[in-house]
Amino acid sequence: MAIVEPATGAELGRAGLADADDLARAARIAAAAQPDWAAASFEQRAAVLRRAGALIEQNAEELQRWMMRESGSIQGMVEFATYVASQECYEAAALASRPVGEILPTAQPRLSLLRRVPVGVVGVISPFNAPLILSSRSVAPALAFGNAVVLKPDPRTPVSGGMILARVFEEAGLPDGLLHVLPGGAGVGSALVTDPRVGVISFTGSTGTGRKVAALAAEHLKRVHLELGGNSALVVLDDADLDLAVSAGAWGSFLHQGQICMTAGRHIVHESIADDYVGALAAHADGLPVGDPTTGQVALGPLIDASQRDKVHALVTGSVDAGARLAAGGSYDNLFYRATVLDDVRTDMPAYAQEVFGPVAPVVRFGSAEEAARLATDSSYGLSLGILTRDVSRGLALAEQIPTGIVHINDQTVNDEAVAPFGGVLESGTGARFGGNANLDAFTNQRWITLRGDIAAYPF
Ligand code: NAD
């Protein structure tokens, strides 16, 4: 399979496409290798994770170049990706030595314990949009707790989403058989979900695919952690600093061409400042250079492929046809979609109501705080939320009324830290979390253990 650079259409290299037989073999080898790894001391496991983090840092420039070309990311985005991926490894190294259980109360003369044990083999399915971050946030902690991992990256980004990690962990001294990278599509993904040796699935992708994965996992009584789509709101209150709000709004909607699950897909702006906000955001959008990220400092690179571009454009034109005003953008050249601002937006217009996954900022106006809360809540998704205001308490009071997994007061919606528990509610996921201590729940099983000095006596 050709690995295609979206900015130029050039072939960057070729990758194998795994099939269900490859998957079964990988799962078998992983299951055989895992017990020795689980039995290794946490110091050994942590050392591998630390070396992996250091290798990502030391080779950051080379890795960034790959990500820039394979996924069309700009310099700032790939720098962020190598930073977060190395932090995922360091944080996982620290988790390896955390307490693995607790002492439980018991009514019997015995010691009663809860112990966290590795799941065995963890299956990871990751998407194209931030491949290194979204693969490493599961691979690193799963390995740290003594699991083996079978990773299926998106076939459009097999290097950034998989091979980089395979190479890094090989050099870091991870014993053979513990990490398998199998690029492939839906068929391999389904085989991973149904393989009896794979105990837990960590899935990041769209809500539609997440539903299918969840249904299949349910049939096989398998635990699945789902991190899905979003259509996050950025609420701008009347007292917000306009210049800073516009810059935050542009970053939240246009970073990585809007192909981020936390992208600000809905700008909900107080009516007293909305005209100024739209004017300034449109001017900002018009001034953002779009082009091949490798040729210099551009703010937006290409969308991943033509089908994604056509989907974005259909949502924009559908909204304009329904009466929205194109304040900026709305056109493209090849895969390069211009930063787009839509005004006079109604909440039933497609670019507002649906996840666009492109560089599009639709703006709606509100009058009262109640109206802002109602508008922001009116979505089937619940991933991230940003509220911009000079009055932090007012921002927090508003946030309390809007159900999302993540909220940032005085920041836009796109944020990620390896130490923070990341996840969404409603159709953005199952409420499961990755990051920090939440990784314990995601990548271990719990075991109840009791110990008595003498054998218990029974009536018969
Ligand atoms: P997608 O659901 O089409 O693909 C995601 C992964 O699932 C890919 O590896 C794909 O090959 C695989 N896949 C496809 N069909 C499958 C099946 N039937 N069984 C198993 N695996 C299958 O996602 P996409 O559209 O390429 O990615 C973008 C989506 O991901 C957006 O909706 C975005 O919001 C979401 N996303 C969510 C998060 C999060 O943390 N919540 C992060 C990044 C992206």
Side-chain angles (χ1 to χ4, degrees), residues 52-134:
L55 281 163
I56 293 173
E57 284 183 325
Q58 286 154 14
N59 296 284
E61 257 179 53
E62 186 191 346
L63 306 185
Q64 287 165 0
R65 181 90 185 158
W66 257 105
M67 287 186 281
M68 195 177 253
R69 299 198 66 187
E70 192 186 44
S71 64
S73 312
I74 63 164
Q75 183 65 30
M77 181 74 186
V78 292
E79 282 173 10
F80 185 62
T82 48
Y83 164 71
V84 173
S86 62
Q87 292 304 316
E88 291 289 356
C89 292
Y90 294 138
E91 176 62 10
L95 284 175
S97 58
R98 295 267 172 93
V100 290
E102 54 190 275
I103 297 174
L104 302 171
T106 172
Q108 304 277 328
R110 64 187 177 189
L111 190 58
S112 182
L113 309 166
L114 167 69
R115 185 178 179 205
R116 301 256 185 191
V117 294
V119 167
V121 182
V122 169
V124 179
I125 300 176
S126 61
F128 74 85
N129 65 307
L132 183 64
I133 294 177
L134 300 172

Side-chain angles (χ1 to χ4, degrees), residues 125-130 134 137 152-156 184-190 193 203-210 212-213 216 227-230 260-262 308 355 357 381 383 422 424 428:
I125 300 176
S126 61
F128 74 85
N129 65 307
L134 300 172
R137 76 175 177 188
K152 192 210 82 61
D154 188 289
R156 288 166 289 186
V188 189
S190 300
V193 175
F203 174 87
T204 306
S206 64
T207 298
T209 307
K212 290 186 202 158
V213 166
L216 202 56
E227 291 295 348
L228 308 176
I260 300 178
C261 54
M262 300 163 276
Q308 192 59 30
E355 181 184 43
F357 228 53
Y381 296 109
L383 189 52
F422 185 103
S428 293

